[in-house]
Amino acid sequence: MTETGTTLTTTARSPAASPGLGGLGLFTVLLGAALPLIDFFIVNVALPTIGQDLDASEAVLELVVAGYGVSYAVLLVLGGRLGDLFGRRRLYLGGMAAFGLTSLACGLAPSAWTLVAARVAQGAAAAAMLPQVLATIQSATAGPRRAKAMGLYGATAGLSMVAGQILGGVLVAADIAGTGWRAVFLVNVPVVILGLILAARAVPETRSQHPEPIDGPGTVLLAVALLALLAPLTEGRAAGWPLWTWLSLALFPLAAAAFYFVERREDREGRTPLVPPSLFALTSLRRGLVMIVPFAIGFSGFMFVIAVALQRGAGLGPVPAGLALAPMAVVFFVVSLCGPRLVARYGTRVVTAGGLLQAVGVTLLALTAWRSWPDVGIWELLPGAAVAGAGQALQLPVLFRIILSEVPPARAGVGSGVMITVQQSALALGVATLGTLFLTLVPGHGMRDALVTTLLVQLAGVALTTALSLRLPRTIS
């Protein structure tokens, strides 16, 4: 694999190197990729109903979201390493089975704190399952087939994040057999059963040819660093910013620095660190990760804020609030399918064009909120949501391809784990930062002004991602 100037070329993998991933196998692993992302967003529109049914405070409700997100982010890299070590298909099957069981526990939770505990366990199960998806694609495909598979992965990831919120609203309103909000978790159980049957038949076993042992100190320090950052940011506002939140934030840079030095020492001494610093010598991975942070922060922050604003401010029910984002989901899916052809013709400048389109879409949404609030719904939001969805579709799938384009198959698990950890941490940060900004502004400025201000902050993030896209390699093969 080489890089000359700004052009990437990928050395083809020998077909005999590992079993191939067929169409049914690709569908199966993409199903596994969709479930954790859907479940991150599906609870947004269900939170008010959960609060009423379980008599949960706002702080506990935030833990229902944050407990899943933090557990998921903290364990992703470890999940990728375990897949490299013990076999990705084995970890995928085990993680999916655990995801089904923990989803059942969430759906049957008798109290708010039981639900929080089940959500933490559900996040851990997702961390075992999801890294195996990209690692399997990297190890069991090559050339144009890998490009197509990565494009479909990106389409699935983006669509899942929007569809999760829509599905949550529909399930809560449908109140199937009197289950109410519990259906947003119970719906996973039959999907997991189908996924396990298909995976047992169609997903090939792959693993690193040179398994690397688990880095205990690195694993602990990474977990401490991520917890120190994400826990206070997600819970601080609801808890009133007590002393522990500030102490935790102060601990974060110390834990992050300790993690870096331990990993560098492990690398220099010939041992195998959890996150090899040499991985970040890959230009495509490094620059892609830097760009995905503001993108994911803006995406998740917008999804949380719009769910709250449409239900509490505009008075929409769960279904109308979810369906208001349907144009974004539909356009995202259609445009993302065109991504590989556009990249083949125009290179990664497609990402820059996507950033510009997204900026136009977010501006239209802010103008709509400013002029029409609170009379907003699917038709008023349609132009902005559709344009923003098209812009996002030209960025996210391509970024996934860029980030992993130089990662060797032997390190596919750790590379996938690092990428998804960065993405998931940024998603959690988006809810924590933009969500906190919005909820802080509402009492003093009103729902409309709080929403418009938050959208303008997101617009600044879109401008940053667009500028960063100019530093990406020009082509990917």
Side-chain angles (χ1 to χ4, degrees), residues 132-463:
Q132 317 318 325
V133 174
L134 281 170
T136 298
I137 290 173
Q138 286 289 99
S139 300
T141 61
R145 185 166 182 80
R146 178 184 294 175
K148 181 181 179 181
M150 288 300 298
L152 287 171
Y153 175 86
T156 301
L159 184 63
S160 298
M161 290 188 278
V162 181
Q165 208 140 302
I166 299 171
L167 181 62
V170 171
L171 289 173
V172 170
D175 193 21
I176 302 168
T179 54
W181 61 266
R182 297 178 187 275
V184 305
F185 301 113
L186 296 176
V187 72
N188 291 335
V189 177
V191 177
V192 163
I193 292 172
L194 173 63
L196 288 171
I197 294 171
L198 293 177
R201 295 182 56 188
V203 176
E205 180 65 282
T206 64
R207 69 180 72 200
S208 173
Q209 294 301 310
H210 305 285
E212 299 168 335
I214 300 301
D215 171 17
T219 301
V220 172
L221 285 170
L222 179 62
V224 170
L226 288 174
L227 282 170
L229 176 65
L230 296 177
L233 288 179
T234 51
E235 281 298 296
R237 188 198 61 83
W241 296 105
L243 178 61
W244 73 264
T245 60
W246 300 108
L247 293 176
S248 183
L249 288 172
L251 174 63
F252 167 68
L254 301 177
F259 173 71
Y260 171 75
F261 286 118
V262 165
E263 298 299 274
R264 190 174 65 172
R265 184 192 65 195
E266 294 281 302
D267 218 7
R268 285 177 174 175
E269 294 180 359
R271 293 191 287 268
T272 305
L274 182 70
V275 180
S278 56
L279 205 62
F280 293 90
L282 303 176
T283 304
S284 55
L285 180 137
R286 187 175 65 251
R287 293 181 180 177
L289 288 179
V290 168
M291 185 177 167
I292 211 168
V293 170
F295 179 91
I297 286 174
F299 195 109
S300 64
F302 168 79
M303 297 297 290
F304 175 80
V305 167
I306 202 71
V308 174
L310 291 180
Q311 289 190 84
R312 295 186 188 175
L316 299 183
V319 173
L323 290 179
L325 297 174
M328 179 180 287
V330 172
V331 173
F332 185 103
F333 184 70
V334 172
V335 174
S336 63
L337 294 179
C338 303
R341 290 194 298 273
L342 292 171
V343 170
R345 183 170 182 179
Y346 300 107
T348 58
R349 288 299 174 259
V350 167
V351 179
T352 307
L356 294 173
L357 267 180
Q358 188 185 2
V360 172
V362 173
T363 301
L364 289 174
L365 289 170
L367 288 173
T368 299
W370 178 262
R371 292 174 177 174
S372 305
W373 192 264
D375 301 318
V376 293
I378 184 170
W379 299 113
E380 290 79 12
L381 296 174
L382 190 152
V387 175
Q392 291 162 345
L394 294 177
Q395 296 175 82
L396 191 62
V398 184
L399 278 176
F400 287 152
R401 282 183 60 191
I402 292 170
I403 290 169
L404 295 177
S405 61
E406 294 182 295
V407 177
R411 283 186 164 176
V414 68
S416 302
V418 168
M419 184 188 78
I420 303 168
T421 297
V422 172
Q423 180 198 14
Q424 183 61 38
S425 300
L427 289 174
L429 280 173
V431 175
T433 53
L434 293 182
T436 296
L437 171 67
F438 172 74
L439 294 173
T440 302
L441 291 174
V442 168
H445 297 82
M447 192 72 69
R448 184 195 71 170
D449 289 356
L451 176 59
V452 171
T453 301
T454 307
L455 287 172
L456 292 177
V457 172
Q458 185 194 356
L459 186 60
V462 174

